[in-house]
Amino acid sequence: MAAPGENLRINGDRLWNSLMDMAKIGPGVAGGNNRQTLTDADAEARALFRSWCEEAGCTMGLDAMGNMFAARAGTDPQALPVYVGSHLDTQPTGGKYDGVLGVLGGLEILRTMNDLGIKTRHPVVVTNWTNEEGTRFAPAMLASGVFAGVHDQSWAEAREDATGKTFGAELDRIGWRGDEPVGARKMHAFFELHIEQGPILEAEGKDIGVVTHGQGLSWTQVTITGKEAHTGSTPMPMRRNAGLGMARVLEAVETIARAHGPHAVGAAGHIDVYPNSRNVIPGKVVFTVDFRSPDLAVIQDMETQMKEQARKICEDMQLEVSFEKVGGFDPVTFDPGCVAAVRAAAERLGYSHRNIISGAGHDACWINQVAPTAMIMCPCVDGLSHNEAEEITKEWAAAGADVLMHAVIETAEVIT
Amino acid sequence: MAAPGENLRINGDRLWNSLMDMAKIGPGVAGGNNRQTLTDADAEARALFRSWCEEAGCTMGLDAMGNMFAARAGTDPQALPVYVGSHLDTQPTGGKYDGVLGVLGGLEILRTMNDLGIKTRHPVVVTNWTNEEGTRFAPAMLASGVFAGVHDQSWAEAREDATGKTFGAELDRIGWRGDEPVGARKMHAFFELHIEQGPILEAEGKDIGVVTHGQGLSWTQVTITGKEAHTGSTPMPMRRNAGLGMARVLEAVETIARAHGPHAVGAAGHIDVYPNSRNVIPGKVVFTVDFRSPDLAVIQDMETQMKEQARKICEDMQLEVSFEKVGGFDPVTFDPGCVAAVRAAAERLGYSHRNIISGAGHDACWINQVAPTAMIMCPCVDGLSHNEAEEITKEWAAAGADVLMHAVIETAEVIT
């Protein structure tokens, strides 16, 4: 296996221009993006990505979950492809780089390989996974999860958004359902380039995060039921205030997560109050508790404690409480060979780097179950993500794509 | 002034049937009603009420805020009318009686006076006040407030619902804006029959609440601003979680209200979390704190304490907080003469009664500023209101309307 020279670099300006062009689709209200999965904006982003891939000489595959696969041929017809990629969908108030960098960084390495006439024994395929964010259709990483055999396809297609529309119907509506069976493809390896979405690399001045593990995640939807009543004429001792019960459970979540520090985290991002009227004591609150840790036992312990404390809180307040697991995955250990390829690429290119644990879930966490997988992270300003103010520099993006290219070319076996 | 005999009663079956017929318009999902102000359902309810009033021989007035006035003539052309009434709009998950009993109870006393050929010196007018609930367009009691000179009419018309539609545009859309200037009418007196919306009368087995005072109310909209960030990759100490700040302020509201017991109450019924996504730490929460007490100084003290504690909580968590007063009224002392007429009517009819403080705001609280006013309350099951399960008995409704009729006939000076 030949190692390409340290002078081999992607085109940082071209990558940046593609990121900025993609960000014009589904603009947010504050400089970021609202390009939620299976919306018209998602369809437009897919069409632009396909046109770029076709310009780069790739053939586009499309599976029945809408996952896109742009292939650059290798020299050996028998060799399994090396896959790269991430997702083009965003949060409702998302940034321009979360996911998008991994897809367009993958496209950029194909463009650079074309420019330089680089041939590899294995094909290289750039992927756009459908519905990584999970905001519109829970859970997150839905289509890569079906690809990896984690979720049943018919269950995934029946997932509903807040208005009752299903994933399957919306996929058909935007016209991006393919014929290819989901998960039929076999992979030689998978690499995902992604922004850190945390503050560590920037704070330490590192160019590259070599991702060794992925934090596990558990989403528990909590429903607290009390009694709707007038805010004025119900004496305090007779109230069954579901909103106050929710407040006390949120405090417990904070305390539990901090007690399992420094790597564990916990919070509720989603809270719906019913009937949500100024002069009605909330009769019901539905919210989702998100716990994460690189240690499965810690996640399970935090969940157990939260449920115990929530039951106690609600019993004392004459409230009812129920729990539904609405998402989750176990902590991930990435493939040592792929991780080593990423570390070696950063070394060869002279980029500063450190091992890092991914705090967020990523498509790579599911694909790791069916192929040797690793991730590359680049810093983001102030650790900020899932926020329209998410920002990175052109240099950070280029360094990440450089490392991606070197790891891919090494793994796909460059023909010299 | 003649006192009518204790054998003079309204028709309880007819009143009940009218309540049930009205409840068919804008049905809820759980046996109650969703007939929010200035919706198509509100327009339908108004048309039904008008048709009933016309059948009863009344002439219908309509002012520029959509307030409806169904007049039964008196014998003296110079005498100011005695007004009765309440509101036909409901909460989004409201009951069949809150407000409606006061309007249709008013109609029933006109029907009974027609049946029995009762003449009064003063005209009697039944009113339907627009947007008492304030759920769709804050604040509550909006149109009676304009009538009483508390609110500016153009300000009221510019109030927006959650989708940005204005009160004025929606009033025009449903076709219920009248030509009559708001507040031009002068009143001899105003009586409002209403369900208690609290548990006291039922618990004590009393038929009638003689309302001597109205609790004051203050609505403060609190906006807490933190920083949207990924729920996985942001270490706990670096979070600025607006949702957790809200939880701590809700706990403070509870503690403050209980410390001012037994008559003070406090809660938040309205809570909106932004962006409300499962894997985004809330960057902003907007919620409304409702404090009430019959003592103005207590309300002011609770508000001051809440703001001080919220500022301290948010400062400690690196959150920003701001406050906006979005509704309120001072405690009310009703007219001693009108209150005495209500008490005398209950005595004459042999109904058990007690003095009571209204815990909720009512149109009568504003009208009390421009006319001698009193309220009559009847029990409701389990104190439940602003809830589709709100329930009363036919006998309770009839007793309330009996007392209303006697108080009105005495005040309007029956011609014997």
Side-chain angles (χ1 to χ4, degrees):
Chain A
M1 198 186 300
E6 65 80 27
N7 61 337
L8 184 59
R9 308 273 169 155
I10 61 95
N11 183 331
D13 287 332
R14 182 170 55 193
L15 171 57
W16 193 256
N17 290 340
S18 293
L19 287 166
M20 294 305 108
D21 285 345
M22 183 57 76
K24 290 173 188 162
I25 300 175
V29 295
N33 278 94
N34 179 2
R35 197 170 57 235
Q36 293 182 70
T37 195
L38 306 190
T39 58
D40 292 348
D42 184 14
E44 196 182 338
R46 288 164 175 267
L48 178 61
F49 174 58
R50 179 174 58 191
S51 72
W52 283 340
C53 292
E54 288 171 352
E55 283 168 21
C58 297
T59 56
M60 181 63 75
L62 183 67
D63 75 12
M65 284 292 286
N67 295 316
M68 300 171 70
F69 303 98
R72 181 177 190 267
T75 59
D76 179 352
Q78 306 303 318
L80 290 176
V82 173
Y83 285 75
V84 299
S86 188
H87 60 94
L88 293 173
D89 70 319
T90 77
Q91 290 279 323
T93 56
K96 298 191 283 287
Y97 312 100
D98 173 357
V100 189
L101 177 63
V103 178
L104 301 187
L107 172 64
E108 174 53 35
I109 74 171
L110 299 195
R111 287 169 166 172
T112 296
M113 288 162 74
N114 288 345
D115 293 346
L116 304 179
I118 295 172
K119 291 181 182 170
T120 54
R121 187 166 85 78
H122 297 262
V124 179
V125 177
V126 185
T127 304
N128 170 34
W129 299 106
T130 303
N131 187 30
E132 194 274 345
E133 293 293 357
T135 311
R136 188 174 171 205
F137 302 99
M141 298 116 66
L142 185 68
S144 57
V146 174
F147 185 95
V150 177
H151 303 306
D152 182 69
Q153 184 178 335
S154 59
W155 176 84
E157 289 192 24
R159 305 304 293 164
E160 290 184 4
D161 70 7
T163 68
K165 292 176 183 159
T166 65
F167 179 97
E170 284 293 279
L171 181 59
D172 287 331
R173 184 187 68 79
I174 69 164
W176 279 92
R177 186 198 289 270
D179 294 329
E180 190 179 313
V182 183
R185 291 167 176 262
K186 302 302 166 204
M187 298 179 171
H188 182 59
F190 178 67
F191 291 94
E192 181 169 0
L193 168 63
H194 207 283
I195 63 169
E196 180 194 345
Q197 305 183 274
I200 298 170
L201 295 175
E202 187 192 28
E204 297 189 3
K206 301 289 188 191
D207 301 315
I208 296 294
V210 179
V211 186
T212 58
H213 296 81
Q215 250 184 348
L217 169 159
S218 172
W219 278 355
T220 303
Q221 185 170 289
V222 183
T223 301
I224 297 181
T225 309
K227 191 168 187 179
E228 288 178 21
H230 194 286
T231 52
S233 42
T234 315
M236 296 300 284
M238 297 181 70
R239 296 179 174 214
R240 293 171 53 204
N241 182 346
L244 186 64
M246 173 270 293
R248 289 174 179 172
V249 175
L250 293 189
E251 189 68 74
V253 166
E254 175 80 4
T255 305
I256 291 166
R258 286 186 180 259
H260 288 81
H263 292 304
V265 291
H270 151 247
I271 301 169
D272 287 329
V273 172
Y274 300 90
N276 209 25
S277 178
R278 282 171 166 143
N279 49 2
V280 185
I281 297 164
K284 186 171 81 168
V285 180
V286 179
F287 58 106
T288 306
V289 175
D290 170 305
F291 279 127
R292 307 194 193 206
S293 163
D295 182 339
L296 182 60
V298 167
I299 294 175
Q300 290 167 341
D301 189 46
M302 291 194 293
E303 257 194 14
T304 302
Q305 288 189 22
M306 184 275 288
K307 288 179 182 173
E308 278 173 7
Q309 293 186 32
R311 284 195 192 96
K312 176 71 169 64
I313 287 165
C314 290
E315 192 186 322
D316 291 349
M317 297 174 75
Q318 294 186 277
L319 302 169
E320 285 161 27
V321 62
S322 63
F323 308 99
E324 182 188 358
K325 180 143 187 161
V326 291
F329 48 82
D330 293 346
V332 169
T333 301
F334 287 114
D335 178 71
C338 290
V339 172
V342 169
R343 189 181 295 111
E347 277 292 319
R348 186 183 310 125
L349 288 155
Y351 290 128
S352 59
H353 60 90
R354 60 161 282 169
N355 289 352
I356 197 165
I357 293 166
S358 171
H362 295 289
D363 294 308
C365 298
W366 287 147
I367 301 306
N368 188 55
Q369 299 197 6
V370 291
T373 297
M375 291 189 71
I376 302 153
M377 282 187 174
C378 72
C380 59
V381 173
D382 213 11
L384 206 59
S385 181
H386 286 193
N387 187 313
E388 295 205 38
E390 175 186 283
E391 201 48 78
I392 66 175
T393 71
K394 191 194 292 187
E395 291 68 32
W396 292 344
D402 281 339
V403 172
L404 178 68
M405 182 167 67
H406 278 245
V408 164
I409 289 176
E410 179 180 326
T411 307
E413 299 175 33
V414 65
I415 308 294
T416 51
Chain B
M1 195 186 302
E6 63 82 26
N7 61 336
L8 184 60
R9 308 274 168 155
I10 61 95
N11 183 331
D13 288 332
R14 181 170 57 192
L15 170 57
W16 194 255
N17 291 339
S18 293
L19 287 165
M20 294 306 107
D21 285 344
M22 182 59 76
K24 292 173 186 160
I25 300 175
V29 295
N33 278 93
N34 179 1
R35 196 170 58 235
Q36 293 181 69
T37 195
L38 307 189
T39 58
D40 292 347
D42 184 15
E44 196 182 338
R46 289 164 175 267
L48 178 62
F49 173 58
R50 179 174 56 191
S51 73
W52 283 339
C53 292
E54 288 171 353
E55 283 168 22
C58 297
T59 56
M60 182 62 76
L62 183 67
D63 76 12
M65 285 292 285
N67 295 316
M68 299 171 70
F69 303 97
R72 182 178 191 266
T75 58
D76 179 353
Q78 306 303 319
L80 290 176
V82 173
Y83 285 74
V84 299
S86 189
H87 59 94
L88 292 174
D89 70 319
T90 77
Q91 290 278 323
T93 56
K96 298 190 284 288
Y97 312 100
D98 173 356
V100 188
L101 177 64
V103 178
L104 300 188
L107 172 64
E108 174 54 35
I109 74 172
L110 298 195
R111 287 169 166 172
T112 296
M113 288 162 73
N114 288 345
D115 292 346
L116 304 178
I118 294 172
K119 293 182 181 171
T120 53
R121 186 168 85 79
H122 297 262
V124 179
V125 177
V126 185
T127 304
N128 170 35
W129 299 107
T130 304
N131 187 29
E132 193 274 347
E133 292 293 358
T135 311
R136 189 173 171 206
F137 303 98
M141 298 116 64
L142 185 68
S144 56
V146 174
F147 185 94
V150 178
H151 304 306
D152 181 70
Q153 184 178 336
S154 59
W155 177 85
E157 289 193 23
R159 303 305 292 165
E160 291 183 4
D161 71 7
T163 69
K165 291 176 183 157
T166 64
F167 179 97
E170 284 291 279
L171 181 59
D172 287 332
R173 185 187 68 78
I174 68 162
W176 279 91
R177 186 198 290 271
D179 294 330
E180 188 179 312
V182 183
R185 289 167 177 262
K186 302 301 166 204
M187 298 179 171
H188 182 60
F190 178 68
F191 292 93
E192 181 169 2
L193 168 63
H194 207 283
I195 64 169
E196 180 194 344
Q197 304 184 277
I200 299 169
L201 294 176
E202 187 191 28
E204 297 190 3
K206 301 289 189 191
D207 302 314
I208 296 292
V210 179
V211 186
T212 58
H213 295 82
Q215 251 184 349
L217 171 157
S218 172
W219 279 355
T220 303
Q221 184 169 290
V222 183
T223 301
I224 297 182
T225 309
K227 192 170 187 178
E228 287 179 22
H230 194 286
T231 50
S233 43
T234 314
M236 296 300 285
M238 297 180 71
R239 295 179 175 215
R240 293 170 54 204
N241 182 346
L244 186 64
M246 172 270 293
R248 290 175 178 169
V249 175
L250 293 190
E251 190 67 72
V253 166
E254 175 81 4
T255 305
I256 291 166
R258 285 185 181 259
H260 288 82
H263 293 304
V265 291
H270 152 247
I271 301 169
D272 287 329
V273 172
Y274 299 90
N276 209 24
S277 178
R278 282 171 166 142
N279 49 2
V280 185
I281 296 164
K284 186 170 82 168
V285 180
V286 180
F287 58 105
T288 306
V289 174
D290 171 303
F291 278 128
R292 306 194 192 204
S293 164
D295 182 338
L296 182 60
V298 167
I299 295 175
Q300 291 167 340
D301 189 46
M302 291 194 293
E303 256 194 16
T304 302
Q305 289 189 23
M306 184 276 288
K307 289 179 181 173
E308 278 173 7
Q309 293 187 32
R311 285 195 191 97
K312 176 70 169 61
I313 287 165
C314 290
E315 192 185 323
D316 290 349
M317 298 175 72
Q318 292 185 279
L319 302 169
E320 284 161 28
V321 62
S322 64
F323 308 98
E324 182 189 357
K325 180 144 188 163
V326 290
F329 48 81
D330 292 347
V332 169
T333 301
F334 287 114
D335 177 72
C338 290
V339 171
V342 170
R343 189 180 295 112
E347 278 291 321
R348 187 182 312 125
L349 288 155
Y351 290 128
S352 59
H353 59 90
R354 60 161 281 169
N355 289 351
I356 197 165
I357 293 165
S358 171
H362 294 289
D363 294 306
C365 298
W366 286 148
I367 301 306
N368 188 56
Q369 299 197 7
V370 291
T373 297
M375 290 189 72
I376 301 153
M377 283 187 174
C378 71
C380 57
V381 173
D382 213 11
L384 207 59
S385 181
H386 287 194
N387 187 313
E388 295 205 39
E390 175 186 283
E391 201 47 79
I392 65 175
T393 70
K394 191 194 292 187
E395 291 68 32
W396 291 345
D402 280 339
V403 172
L404 178 67
M405 181 168 68
H406 278 246
V408 164
I409 289 177
E410 178 178 328
T411 307
E413 297 174 33
V414 67
I415 307 296
T416 51

